[in-house]
Amino acid sequence: MPGLVRRPIVVWLLAALAVPVLLTAVLIPAQAGTTEDDLRDRSIAALQARGINGAEVDVDGRDATVAVPAGVDPALVEEVVAGVEGVRAVRVEGSTPSPTATEAPAEEAAVAAFEVGRTDNSIRVRAAVKNQAVKDAIAAQVDKVLGEDREFDDRTTIDPATGLADATALGALIHALAIGNGDASVRYDGTTITLTGKVPDQATKATVARAAAKAVPGAVIADQLQTPAPPKSELSEACRTFQSRLSEFGRQHTIIFLSGTSIVNSASRPTVVKAAALLKSCPMARVEIAGHTDNLGSPASSLPLSERRAAALKAMLVRLGVAQSRLLAHGYGEAFPVASNSTPAGRIANRRAELRALQGTS
């Protein structure tokens, strides 16, 4: 009987000890899983707060493994995740560091020195090129512009390391420089493009300069190309004698105005037509139209009247085909009479306009 009593007590004691062990075995893995999920979520949130999206975070215990998206700096990712509370170690996978703002950009490939020139007898190209294909392409461009009187002065060499990679830039210079006769050249020394010699006109000069600038962008251009001086135009016989003929015209003919007005009287209208024909005989001559009055009005009214007379004659000459830009109208009032104002005939003679060749007219 005593043994029957002790047996249930032992069983209950064993059961009491087993229950905590079983609960610990169940709860510890659940708590560990919750901790890993929490670390992963907080790591991702920290990365997103720094603008890093798309990273994949795997946590084993307290050790994090992060797969970094392309273009993201791994060092930055490691720093952010290592700063999350509870994370013990960080391992970063994938991507490479993106260039930082302090890293200098790669320098553009330097253009090797070259020269393109022409004479009456040849087209000259001196340059190092990368391969035979570029050399042949340059020769083909030269062949297009040689003509019958020139030959190709080929001074190209092959240098795979520093030679020109294609013939485009030199081809444009060859075509631009081939226009014209005599000596001309475009030389690049690694810093400055120097343009020398003669070209036939300003348009060709501008074309060569544009081609040079395109061949080496950013290079200093020293443009010393020369264009022919414009030929001096020879004066026609009409222009050589214009001033003397105009003076003679003034001695033989008068242009008279009605008293107190800027109206040319009827007797003088044919003279205005003759004056226009004389002026048109030398289109480059410039002429002053001088208006005058008698002394019947006051000096204060005479000057404006003389100016209106000069302007009226100018308008008549323009209508008859004389360029307005050649005519300069001035009024002188009653200051320069050609006859006595004490007689009617003298006053009529003073109500006049005169034509005078301006300085510079032969």
Side-chain angles (χ1 to χ4, degrees), residues 156-355:
T156 57
T157 58
I158 296 176
D159 184 346
T162 62
L164 297 172
D166 62 67
T168 304
L170 292 188
L173 283 171
I174 290 165
H175 282 264
L177 207 57
I179 302 171
N181 298 315
D183 294 348
S185 68
V186 175
R187 294 190 304 276
Y188 176 59
D189 61 6
T191 304
T192 303
I193 303 179
T194 304
L195 285 58
T196 58
K198 297 180 179 180
V199 289
D201 48 45
Q202 288 292 337
T204 303
K205 179 175 180 176
T207 300
V208 175
R210 284 195 299 268
K214 191 172 182 181
V216 189
V220 176
I221 296 181
D223 190 349
Q224 301 171 11
L225 290 173
Q226 299 176 352
T227 57
K232 292 184 178 180
S233 57
E234 294 186 4
L235 289 176
S236 65
E237 178 65 22
C239 286
R240 281 198 298 269
T241 61
F242 177 78
Q243 189 166 352
S244 60
R245 289 189 296 121
L246 185 62
S247 297
E248 182 62 25
F249 179 87
R251 286 192 290 269
Q252 295 182 4
H253 303 281
T254 56
I255 299 175
I256 303 300
F257 292 84
L258 298 177
S259 179
T261 74
S262 58
I263 301 172
V264 175
N265 68 19
S266 57
S268 297
R269 290 182 181 273
T271 301
V272 176
V273 175
K274 293 177 182 178
L278 173 59
L279 295 182
K280 288 190 287 185
S281 70
C282 179
M284 66 180 64
R286 297 182 68 245
V287 172
E288 179 195 31
I289 303 171
H292 301 274
T293 68
D294 57 27
N295 68 348
L296 291 182
S298 67
S301 63
S302 294
L303 184 59
L305 176 59
S306 67
E307 291 173 345
R308 290 196 299 274
R309 284 174 174 170
L313 179 55
K314 177 179 178 179
M316 293 177 70
L317 291 172
V318 170
R319 286 196 297 271
L320 290 169
V322 180
Q324 180 173 318
S325 60
R326 297 174 53 200
L327 303 174
L328 186 64
H330 278 156
Y332 293 92
E334 58 186 69
F336 301 101
V338 292
S340 172
N341 283 306
S342 60
T343 65
R347 290 193 293 271
I348 290 174
N350 290 330
R351 298 195 294 264
R352 73 197 189 280
E354 298 172 336
L355 301 177

